[in-house]
Amino acid sequence: MSNFVDLLSRIFLSAVFFVNGISKTNNIDGTVGWMEIYDLPGFLIYPAIILELIAPLFIVIGFYVKLSSLVLGSFCILTALIFLRDLSDPMTLTNFLKNFAMAGGFFILYLNGSKKFSLDYYLSQIKKYNPKLNAIVSLKKEEQIKIEANNFENSSDKIGLIPGMPLAIKDITDAKGFPTT
């Protein structure tokens, strides 16, 4: 049951950011205008959109949960301090406190990590048991994956919705760069 509650909690925490990221992409000019009222340069909308779309996705699928949680928790505090300053207004005060409450949830997730229903968990199990079981015959080292990811980011061959997603290919299937048994 705790694994299910963990997944559901990650979805709940992430949903608001993902929805806001989509909303910002649909109203970039309006959001930039609103940000400029607070003396923020409009170009900051783009990193905010990227953060609000990618970090929640990572948290939901359970990939780099601790890092994503730390970043989104810090983002909650930062946005509260920048945009929610009129604490004499009851609605602003409520939203300010909600931002800090969400930050608290993200920081708890940062401290505890995700449970079983996450890529982080499955990757940790592969790292823990594969040296004995050799269930995954050809496992790329993390350093090699980082090099390939960097090369991919710098190339023009952008294919797929979520490139770099961990994938296990049965070793009887031919795949470029992997041994076949």
Side-chain angles (χ1 to χ4, degrees):
M1 181 69 160
S2 67
N3 293 317
F4 178 73
V5 171
D6 171 71
L7 174 61
L8 198 58
S9 298
R10 287 186 280 129
I11 291 170
F12 289 164
L13 275 170
S14 297
V16 68
F17 290 95
F18 195 74
V19 169
N20 283 335
I22 291 170
S23 176
K24 284 180 177 74
T25 61
N26 293 330
N27 185 18
I28 289 179
D29 292 336
T31 307
V32 166
W34 179 74
M35 289 172 62
E36 288 173 348
I37 292 171
Y38 293 91
D39 296 324
L40 289 175
F43 72 86
L44 289 177
I45 187 67
Y46 298 105
I49 289 172
I50 292 168
L51 175 67
E52 290 185 5
L53 293 177
I54 293 178
L57 178 64
F58 276 17
I59 288 174
V60 168
I61 66 173
F63 189 59
Y64 287 107
V65 169
K66 288 188 169 205
L67 175 63
S68 298
S69 298
L70 182 63
V71 170
L72 281 178
S74 301
F75 185 73
C76 287
I77 292 171
L78 184 64
T79 56
L81 294 173
I82 292 171
F83 299 112
L84 303 170
R85 293 184 275 187
D86 182 10
L87 301 181
S88 64
D89 174 45
M91 285 302 294
T92 303
L93 176 61
T94 298
N95 286 325
F96 182 87
L97 294 173
K98 282 182 182 180
N99 269 37
F100 274 82
M102 287 191 305
F106 282 121
F107 293 149
I108 289 171
L109 190 54
Y110 167 75
L111 291 173
N112 296 312
S114 55
K115 294 199 178 292
K116 194 172 185 179
F117 298 154
S118 69
L119 281 174
D120 286 344
Y121 172 79
Y122 291 112
L123 292 172
S124 74
Q125 294 303 293
I126 290 169
K127 193 174 191 175
K128 180 177 179 180
Y129 293 110
N130 198 56
K132 292 178 188 171
L133 301 175
N134 200 30
I136 298 178
V137 177
S138 179
L139 185 61
K140 288 187 178 182
K141 302 254 186 256
E142 193 169 332
E143 297 80 30
Q144 180 62 31
I145 294 169
K146 287 178 181 177
I147 290 168
E148 289 177 13
N150 189 38
N151 291 341
F152 177 80
E153 283 299 315
N154 295 325
S155 78
S156 60
D157 300 333
K158 308 276 187 207
I159 302 171
L161 295 174
I162 42 178
M165 180 65 74
L167 173 68
I169 300 171
K170 182 69 177 143
D171 61 344
I172 60 169
T173 305
D174 288 332
K176 183 179 177 182
F178 291 93
T180 304
T181 59

